[in-house]
Amino acid sequence: MKRDKSIHEFEKAKQFIPGGVNSPVRAYKSVGMPPIFIKEAKGSTITDIDGNNYIDFVGSWGPMILGHAKPEIIEAIKESANHSTSFGAPTILETEMAATITQMVPSIEKVRMVNSGTEATMSVIRLARAYTGKHKIIKFEGNYHGHADSFLIQAGSGAMTLGVPNSPGVTPGTAADTITASYNDIQSVEKIFETNKNQIAAIIVEPVAANMGVVPPEPGFLEKLRELTHKENALLIFDEVITGFRLARGGAQEYFNITPDLTTLGKIIGGGLPVGAYGGKKEIMDQLAPEGPVYQAGTLSGNPLAMSAGLAALKILNNNPEIYDQLNKKATRLAEGIRENLKTTGIKGVVNQIGSLLTLFFYDGERVTSFSHASKSDTEKYSVYFKNSLNNGIYLAPSQFECAFISDAHTDEDIDKTISANKMALENL
């Protein structure tokens, strides 16, 4: 496939944009090639500026659960834009969105709209600290909660350690209030509570880790987090920016039947436009200004275009619950096809799949259940696999540590083509 135009545009972009991109993974550094520039997308197909078509499994990193350019969503955006693109004042759309979220996610009694997942997570942590009167939070290795200072923390040599910054610009003081535990290891969490008596405000967790590749929770892990936070008078926060409205209408908390105190949302609730939200119990959410003393604001929060697009998407999902069963069947068939290809080709790998999320790890082991496992994946092999897949018309995440997103627009023919392309990509490693 020729990509001359993409290469030219990337060189041009680097003159004006740091690294040539507005989000680091888009630079394709981990797969060792220039990025492709996208022109348009429809349904399950994405097209670059050189005219190459690909079956898309990135889906704008999650929002496109219904596929690209869904007519109902596009029409909702057009209709809303006719009345102006922003007001900076209350609209009925915001109330409709809040009511829809609270109806679909029962643990959320009140919700505040923001502009991104990062804004949602940084705001919910401030709220949790204010509500509990405690300062420290627990996060997990391999869980990504956006780029706010409190979350750019990595674990030290042990499973349980005070955090240290892993990005310049994050102060040691900020890092000291974030403690990192091992995902799927409840003992690491218990030890943190033991050594930080009455200091933990909250645990924030991706109920399904999706930013070290897909790593589902082990049986009982989320339940034990719920029990432990109740016992220790700390809050349990589910970061459902990815899993919200994807695993089920009520997200991972419906899927696993766990009720968190607070939840962050994003991606799908904007229908592809910038959006975020956080919500939970009324008594906690009422601490927010102007009702309470915890300040948080945003000029474009509740933007009418984003609300219109998100409401259109949520209406389709809410009225057509069979979509989730269909998504799971497609993803399961794709995962099984890849596993069979691994067996046929003799390539070492593990496929993790839950609902419409999946990852092929080039990992020489039986299971991937933690960041420790995921981080041992063969990233060089993934780089070659990614390029082979791209040349076979399959658009995957340009990083081993991301997931593939299945959409309602993916057809059985798309899945068949992808399984065949996967086999060719593996054979040429």
Side-chain angles (χ1 to χ4, degrees):
M1 289 182 176
K2 289 187 176 181
R3 301 194 180 95
D4 296 344
K5 291 182 180 178
S6 283
I7 293 171
H8 171 76
E9 288 300 328
F10 185 48
E11 291 303 313
K12 181 180 177 181
K14 285 191 288 186
Q15 299 176 43
F16 306 103
I17 303 171
V21 294
N22 285 308
S23 191
V25 73
R26 299 179 194 174
Y28 284 33
K29 278 197 168 185
S30 67
V31 292
M33 64 174 283
I36 60 173
F37 276 54
I38 304 304
K39 179 183 179 182
E40 60 187 356
K42 180 73 173 177
S44 64
T45 302
I46 199 161
T47 304
D48 68 21
I49 60 175
D50 287 278
N52 301 308
N53 294 320
Y54 310 90
I55 299 173
D56 178 26
F57 289 99
V58 176
S60 192
W61 306 96
M64 300 306 181
I65 192 170
L66 298 171
H68 291 280
K70 185 74 171 176
E72 294 93 326
I73 295 176
I74 299 301
E75 286 305 312
I77 294 171
K78 288 179 178 178
E79 172 60 25
S80 184
N82 285 331
H83 303 288
S84 187
T85 56
S86 181
F87 308 112
T91 67
I92 294 173
L93 287 168
E94 295 166 84
T95 307
E96 290 179 5
M97 174 60 83
T100 300
I101 290 173
T102 59
Q103 184 262 318
M104 294 177 74
V105 188
S107 76
I108 297 179
E109 297 174 345
K110 286 191 174 183
V111 61
R112 171 66 61 86
M113 302 306 302
V114 290
N115 297 289
S116 69
T118 290
E119 193 177 340
T121 53
M122 63 182 259
S123 300
V124 82
I125 288 301
R126 181 187 304 151
L127 177 59
R129 285 171 167 153
Y131 181 76
T132 62
K134 304 173 187 178
H135 295 158
K136 294 183 179 180
I137 63 167
I138 298 173
K139 69 175 289 289
F140 293 91
E141 287 180 291
N143 278 203
Y144 179 70
H145 306 292
H147 62 265
D149 285 2
S150 295
F151 302 120
L152 291 179
I153 311 298
Q154 64 185 6
S157 58
M160 181 266 307
T161 179
L162 286 178
V164 296
N166 72 334
S167 174
V170 178
T171 67
T174 299
D177 284 333
T178 300
I179 308 175
T180 305
S182 297
Y183 186 75
N184 273 329
D185 181 357
I186 195 64
Q187 290 184 340
S188 71
V189 184
E190 291 171 339
K191 288 178 182 177
I192 290 170
F193 275 105
E194 287 172 9
T195 55
N196 295 270
K197 289 290 186 183
N198 299 315
Q199 297 180 65
I200 306 298
I203 294 174
I204 184 167
V205 62
E206 285 186 278
V208 174
N211 285 282
M212 55 178 160
V214 176
V215 180
E218 291 285 272
F221 177 65
L222 296 178
E223 288 84 352
K224 289 174 182 175
L225 290 182
R226 179 68 283 182
E227 292 172 10
L228 194 55
T229 48
H230 274 316
K231 176 185 173 184
E232 300 290 343
N233 294 315
L235 300 181
L236 178 61
I237 304 169
F238 272 11
D239 181 349
E240 295 225 45
V241 169
I242 286 179
T243 56
F245 309 105
R246 177 165 283 278
L247 288 187
R249 284 183 294 180
Q253 53 198 270
E254 176 186 319
Y255 189 95
F256 295 109
N257 192 29
I258 307 288
T259 303
D261 299 297
L262 292 166
T263 301
T264 61
L265 300 168
K267 298 189 184 290
I268 289 172
I269 61 169
L273 296 186
V275 76
Y278 61 105
K281 295 178 179 178
K282 179 180 181 296
E283 70 223 50
I284 303 175
M285 294 301 294
D286 280 346
Q287 295 296 307
L288 288 173
E291 189 79 11
V294 182
Y295 192 74
Q296 179 267 313
T299 299
L300 294 175
S301 295
N303 175 267
L305 298 189
M307 296 298 94
S308 297
L311 280 167
L314 292 185
K315 182 178 179 180
I316 293 170
L317 294 171
N318 201 24
N319 293 337
N320 299 277
E322 69 278 4
I323 285 176
Y324 292 100
D325 183 53
Q326 294 165 3
L327 289 170
N328 183 62
K329 286 179 178 177
K330 293 174 190 176
T332 300
R333 191 158 71 84
L334 179 56
E336 290 174 348
I338 296 173
R339 291 187 187 110
E340 184 61 32
N341 289 341
L342 289 169
K343 189 184 301 182
T344 300
T345 59
I347 302 295
K348 298 291 185 181
V350 173
V351 181
N352 278 2
Q353 177 254 327
I354 181 169
S356 58
L357 303 169
L358 67 86
T359 297
L360 163 57
F361 295 94
F362 287 99
Y363 173 71
D364 187 5
E366 294 298 319
R367 303 175 68 220
V368 175
T369 62
S370 67
F371 177 74
S372 176
H373 292 158
S375 62
K376 293 174 184 174
S377 298
D378 189 335
T379 55
E380 290 185 8
K381 188 169 286 185
Y382 183 85
S383 175
V384 178
Y385 169 74
F386 172 82
K387 294 168 191 172
N388 290 347
S389 298
L390 204 62
N391 289 333
N392 289 329
I394 307 299
Y395 183 58
L396 301 172
S399 168
Q400 167 69 95
F401 306 113
E402 298 287 352
C403 59
F405 295 91
I406 312 302
S407 78
D408 187 53
H410 284 106
T411 64
D412 289 338
E413 183 182 9
D414 288 333
I415 302 301
D416 289 337
K417 285 182 178 178
T418 304
I419 293 172
S420 296
N422 168 263
K423 185 176 182 182
M424 289 188 285
L426 292 173
E427 288 173 339
N428 288 294
L429 286 179

